[in-house]
Amino acid sequence: MGKRIGIEVAIAAAEAAALCRFEVAAVYPITPQSHVAEHLSDIVNDGRVDASFITVEGEHSALSAAIGASGTGARVITATSSQGLLYMSEVMPIASGMRVPIVMIVANRAVSSPINIWNDHSDIMPMRDTGWITFFSENGQEAVDMVIQAYKVAEHRDVMLPVDVMMDGFQLTHMVEPLFMPDQEEVDRFLPPYVPYATLHPDNPVSMGTLAMPDIFAEAQKSKDAALVNSLTVIKEVWKEWEELFGRKYEPVQTYLTEDADVAMVTMGSMGETAEVAVDELRRQGIKAGLIKIKLWRPFPFEDLKKAVKGIRVVAVMDRAVSFGGPGGPVFSEIRSALYDEPARPAVVNFIIGLGGRDIQVVDFVDMMKKAAAGKLAEPYEFYGVRG
Amino acid sequence: MTTLTNSPTIIENFDLYAPKLVSKEEFFSAGHRACQGCAEALAIRLMCKALGRDTVITNATGCMEVISSLYPTTAWKLPWIHVAFPCAAAVGSGVEAGLTALRRKGKIPDKRVKSVAIGGDGGTMDIGFQALSGAMERGHDMLYVCFDNEAYMNTGIQRSSGTPFLASTTTSPAGKKIPGNQVWKKNVMEIMVAHNIPYVATASPAYPIDFMNKVKKAREVKGSAYIHCLVTCPTGWRSPSETSIQLGRLAYETGVFPIYEVEDGKYRFTMPVPEKRRPVADYLKGQGRFRHVTPDQIKAIQERVDIEWEMLKIKIASSKSRAEIREQVKS
Ligand SMILES: Cc1ncc(C[n+]2csc(CCOP(=O)(O)OP(=O)(O)O)c2C)c(N)n1
Ligand code: SF4
């Protein structure tokens, strides 16, 4: 059942990729992802995995090289953060459009300017519509598990899409956490070798990444959307199988004390752990609080969310990114839109918090929940605890 | 006057030997959508013949990608991938790394498959330059071929760093105040040579055997190789379709585009060197993009070409291969 060890999460995520026996890594370092890049290099140079490491000259090339390698049928890993992810943005939709099952670890970090190396989700949010499956891990264990699960989902014949696994920069990447590192045999049992649909090889030549005119482009986009939407079934299957094998349960929307809740918060990523403690505290104070954690950002699990909010009066969405000049944070507008057609929809309010690594403590969540429960917050969204 | 352009002996010999030298197999098939007289499409066809079947092509965005891959058709009988405009060299690196890893692990047949990345002058010398430099510096077992038609043709003849001095393009028009492109063509060859890669060459489809021999040589190189191929674009050069090859030859005979190679650091002309170069005016006059150029401006171009030519001759006369220098250092 694996071994329980204390390990830095960034290193553990790279180890997870090694357990998947990646064949090509193309990675460019950026804080706070660097430890992933460095550890993948160690793994390759020590011969622990039979793979090629491409020391690309930038992230645009990292993802480009990853696509080329994946096109040959190799299992590929890449990783980035912040500006690096934005630098890849030209190539992101190409990877999903070409249906290459690349796995990318994203150590979430704020984007410039001002330059800031700490965590928020402003790097991944602009990538929301690029057609990648997007997992959000909450702790080191989830980061490790999700990297392995990602390959199984990405390479599934009904999916064939790239997957990116979020882990909050520093708050997860640089923490030493106790976690179960799966055994190689367990991972081998869970994850069969990658059998590509078509490859770049002269024995059976194919053209990849061709030009599409208006008469076919929309159909191509529709099929990509369908693949992404339908991947939800596969993701759930893979998570079920994971639970059976490893005993750790994963759900697109995970709830904590929501059954009888009056107010609930929605979180993504590492803040879920602090929020959970805040819910306990609120309950102690007699407030019927609950917590909804989004683990799967794309495809968005609409039905699971609707089920999770049944009976709740106020839902407070915690966003770690700003949609400048928009209707509120990206998670908020997603959730409010998802619930619009519900006959008994809750009030949905929005706090923008934790930008650029700003600390969020239990007291903050408690305070926000009380404000939300009392209907006392600035419309339509509030930058929580921000001066001026 | 008999010149290399219309020399009967060359044509005769070509008829005699060409069937033996050139594979009849086509990997870049007819029916693609290039303009009439497009030397870039012709050069690709020749390149593929020289490369042979065991090749994977990575194409940058540009004319050649657009004219060859209109879904649901493809002109490519070789495995082919296009990702984006700036990244052909990076994708080609990934292809090489993937093939190498899979071959090492016995997942694909144990034969050498060459990764070949191609791009226009824009995709190579401008937006894709960083990726190219990175790939060459890392020494991937990869050939990169730049098909230089001296402008961004796919988007409508805008200038690139490959556009010659004074050429009129849609972003460097021959205006009332500024007569065309104001800077000299970037010397990518020297930059590639400075990357210390084993093989660098210039070529032209106007000299098909020379070009194909270079492609074959570059294919055999273990490591990175770069070929810079000058290709006429009748659409962008404002030249009649049937003069594409003639213009390619004039580029060489005038010294505007010297044809040479740099193998292991040693420079060498690969074509019979014209005893007396023709005046650059002969090359410029058949092209609408130089229509506005004055005699004084032609003189300036001539002077620059003369200097560059002499500099190249010095390199050819004095350069030594790394192997030769190694011996010299030892003794
Ligand atoms: C990032 C980006 N910027 C601009 C373009 C538009 N674009 C596509 S092809 C091209 C020019 C291609 O020129 P070149 O590489 O010289 O090839 P040619 O078409 O001349 O063969 C441009 C500017 C693009 N596709 N991507
Ligand atoms: S525009 Fe020029 S390079 Fe492009 S297809 Fe036509 S002739 Fe060839």
Side-chain angles (χ1 to χ4, degrees):
Chain A
M1 222 28 292
K3 226 182 14 215
R4 193 156 192 262
I5 53 169
I7 185 170
E8 188 191 296
V9 173
I11 290 172
E15 285 291 332
L19 288 169
C20 299
R21 301 180 188 277
F22 69 86
E23 285 154 327
V24 173
V27 196
Y28 193 78
I30 177 170
T31 304
Q33 163 267 39
S34 305
H35 290 182
V36 179
E38 290 167 0
H39 199 68
L40 287 169
S41 313
D42 279 342
I43 288 166
V44 174
N45 281 12
D46 287 341
R48 290 178 46 214
V49 167
D50 186 0
S52 304
F53 189 97
I54 313 179
T55 50
V56 275
E57 78 295 338
E59 289 87 352
H60 194 285
S61 288
L63 191 52
S64 300
I67 293 175
S70 188
T72 68
R75 185 172 279 165
V76 185
I77 183 82
T78 185
T80 191
S81 180
S82 184
Q83 306 304 125
L85 188 60
L86 265 58
Y87 196 26
M88 283 180 178
S89 66
E90 185 196 19
V91 202
M92 293 279 290
I94 300 178
S96 52
M98 285 170 71
R99 309 287 294 274
V100 282
I102 294 163
V103 171
M104 171 153 69
I105 297 167
V106 179
N108 296 104
R109 160 183 155 184
V111 297
S112 284
S113 71
I115 191 165
N116 170 294
I117 60 167
W118 293 274
N119 167 247
D120 68 29
H121 296 160
S122 57
D123 53 1
I124 191 61
M125 287 306 156
M127 301 300 130
R128 187 185 63 178
D129 301 331
T130 56
W132 285 55
I133 292 171
T134 306
F135 292 170
F136 264 90
S137 70
E138 187 178 334
N139 51 42
Q141 186 68 61
E142 289 194 1
V144 165
D145 293 357
M146 281 179 169
V147 167
I148 303 165
Q149 296 157 0
Y151 280 104
K152 182 127 180 174
V153 170
E155 293 168 3
H156 194 288
R157 243 340 126 70
D158 298 342
V159 179
M160 294 299 290
L161 283 169
V163 180
D164 46 18
V165 178
M166 300 305 115
M167 39 198 252
D168 283 336
F170 293 111
Q171 275 149 12
L172 283 189
T173 53
H174 286 55
M175 288 298 127
V176 175
E177 289 192 5
L179 53 85
F180 286 97
M181 212 58 207
D183 293 339
Q184 186 66 62
E185 303 83 71
E186 289 173 326
V187 175
D188 287 345
R189 215 174 323 133
F190 173 76
L191 182 69
Y194 171 37
V195 183
Y197 174 71
T199 61
L200 293 167
H201 197 275
D203 291 353
N204 183 20
V206 291
S207 293
M208 295 184 181
T210 58
L211 171 80
M213 298 281 272
D215 64 339
I216 198 72
F217 185 78
E219 281 73 10
Q221 297 304 83
K222 188 179 173 192
S223 80
K224 174 160 135 182
D225 186 52
L228 194 57
V229 170
N230 296 338
S231 72
L232 183 59
T233 319
V234 174
I235 294 165
K236 285 184 173 177
E237 274 168 28
V238 167
W239 279 351
K240 191 98 219 125
E241 195 187 332
W242 184 269
E243 187 184 342
E244 281 156 17
L245 263 166
F246 294 95
R248 292 190 288 276
K249 193 181 171 83
Y250 285 84
E251 288 169 309
V253 172
Q254 226 162 314
T255 55
Y256 180 66
L257 303 180
T258 46
E259 288 76 16
D260 64 336
D262 174 48
V263 285
M265 338 182 222
V266 179
T267 62
M268 288 205 309
S270 64
M271 60 180 160
E273 292 204 330
T274 319
E276 214 172 288
V277 180
V279 167
D280 291 343
E281 174 58 28
L282 286 157
R283 289 266 169 180
R284 248 194 306 277
Q285 296 181 17
I287 296 167
K288 283 187 174 171
L291 175 61
I292 296 166
K293 300 172 188 171
I294 310 285
K295 296 286 165 79
L296 180 65
W297 175 231
R298 278 293 180 276
F300 192 82
F302 292 102
E303 291 314 312
D304 302 74
L305 176 82
K306 285 175 191 171
K307 226 188 292 156
V309 301
K310 278 260 151 60
I312 297 175
R313 186 173 57 86
V314 183
V315 171
V317 180
M318 310 296 169
D319 260 296
R320 296 197 85 165
V322 186
S323 169
F324 295 98
V331 186
F332 165 69
S333 50
E334 192 91 339
I335 285 177
R336 200 153 65 155
S337 140
L339 299 176
Y340 184 79
D341 287 328
E342 290 303 282
R345 58 174 188 249
V348 186
V349 298
N350 189 202
F351 292 100
I352 290 168
I353 56 165
L355 298 184
R358 179 76 62 93
D359 205 18
I360 323 165
Q361 300 185 0
V362 174
V363 287
D364 300 319
F365 283 116
V366 168
D367 185 31
M368 285 186 282
M369 286 292 271
K370 283 182 177 169
K371 270 179 139 181
K376 275 197 220 146
L377 84 166
E379 286 286 349
Y381 54 93
E382 179 175 321
F383 281 81
Y384 179 75
V386 173
R387 299 178 294 271
Chain B
M1 182 171 73
T2 297
T3 68
L4 281 173
T5 316
N6 60 4
S7 153
T9 31
I10 284 197
I11 303 298
E12 219 168 81
N13 288 345
F14 189 76
D15 276 348
L16 196 61
Y17 296 121
K20 287 190 192 143
L21 297 173
V22 184
S23 152
K24 285 223 168 88
E25 219 170 344
E26 296 291 354
F27 297 106
F28 186 69
S29 60
H32 57 69
R33 290 160 171 81
C35 314
Q36 247 181 43
C38 174
E40 191 165 356
L42 169 64
I44 284 181
R45 178 172 159 239
L46 298 172
M47 174 191 77
C48 291
K49 282 174 180 283
L51 287 170
R53 188 172 296 280
D54 288 336
T55 307
V56 177
I57 304 281
T58 302
N59 206 156
T61 312
C63 272
M64 292 305 106
E65 168 260 329
V66 169
I67 60 102
S68 70
S69 80
L70 180 51
Y71 184 85
T73 66
T74 178
W76 297 91
K77 291 185 188 167
L78 296 173
W80 178 92
I81 181 170
H82 158 254
V83 175
F85 187 29
C87 63
V91 178
S93 308
V95 167
E96 187 266 326
L99 291 172
T100 304
L102 295 174
R103 187 176 162 202
R104 191 173 56 222
K105 296 173 98 170
K107 286 192 172 180
I108 55 173
D110 186 21
K111 65 174 169 187
R112 186 160 183 251
V113 176
K114 189 80 180 180
S115 172
V116 178
I118 62 175
D121 43 295
T124 305
M125 298 161 70
D126 298 333
I127 201 169
F129 193 60
Q130 170 184 311
L132 172 66
S133 178
M136 297 290 115
E137 174 265 322
R138 293 190 296 271
H140 289 275
D141 187 8
M142 178 171 86
L143 165 62
Y144 190 99
V145 186
C146 170
F147 293 101
D148 181 6
N149 57 18
E150 304 197 315
Y152 305 149
M153 297 309 175
N154 183 50
T155 35
I157 325 170
Q158 294 89 12
R159 84 163 287 282
S160 78
S161 63
T163 302
F165 183 53
L166 297 180
S168 179
T169 73
T170 54
T171 53
S172 65
K176 290 199 180 79
K177 190 169 164 219
I178 304 170
N181 188 40
Q182 288 300 290
V183 290
W184 297 91
K185 188 182 177 79
K186 189 193 271 185
N187 191 344
V188 197
M189 282 294 288
E190 280 303 301
I191 304 171
M192 287 299 112
V193 171
H195 278 70
N196 280 343
I197 53 178
Y199 190 72
V200 181
T202 64
S204 156
Y207 302 100
I209 302 295
D210 175 79
F211 175 42
M212 285 189 282
N213 284 342
K214 284 170 175 165
V215 171
K216 281 181 193 153
K217 205 175 211 179
R219 190 190 197 289
E220 291 321 307
V221 162
K222 297 266 186 304
S224 299
Y226 176 84
I227 296 179
H228 196 91
C229 186
L230 182 76
V231 287
T232 320
C233 164
T235 309
W237 292 18
R238 310 287 187 216
S239 54
S241 301
E242 69 277 11
T243 62
S244 278
I245 298 302
Q246 196 181 19
L247 281 175
R249 293 190 174 193
L250 280 166
Y252 176 59
E253 291 167 9
T254 55
V256 166
F257 188 78
I259 294 189
Y260 63 103
E261 66 181 12
V262 188
E263 203 176 354
D264 191 30
K266 190 184 176 82
Y267 287 70
R268 192 171 75 83
F269 278 124
T270 59
M271 293 283 302
V273 181
E275 207 123 279
K276 192 167 170 2
R277 279 177 291 117
R278 293 174 65 150
V280 291
D282 289 6
Y283 172 64
L284 304 181
K285 75 180 167 216
Q287 307 175 44
R289 61 177 176 158
F290 293 114
R291 191 184 295 125
H292 59 287
V293 173
T294 64
D296 275 354
Q297 290 167 338
I298 293 178
K299 238 168 91 186
I301 298 173
Q302 183 70 59
E303 190 197 32
R304 171 87 174 205
V305 168
D306 290 345
I307 291 170
E308 298 282 328
W309 181 264
E310 289 307 318
M311 282 172 75
L312 180 62
K313 270 173 57 182
I314 292 168
K315 282 177 201 152
I316 286 173
S318 63
S319 64
K320 287 183 178 171
S321 71
R322 270 176 216 97
E324 286 169 338
I325 294 173
R326 198 172 298 126
E327 284 309 308
Q328 197 178 310
V329 170
K330 255 193 239 163
S331 57

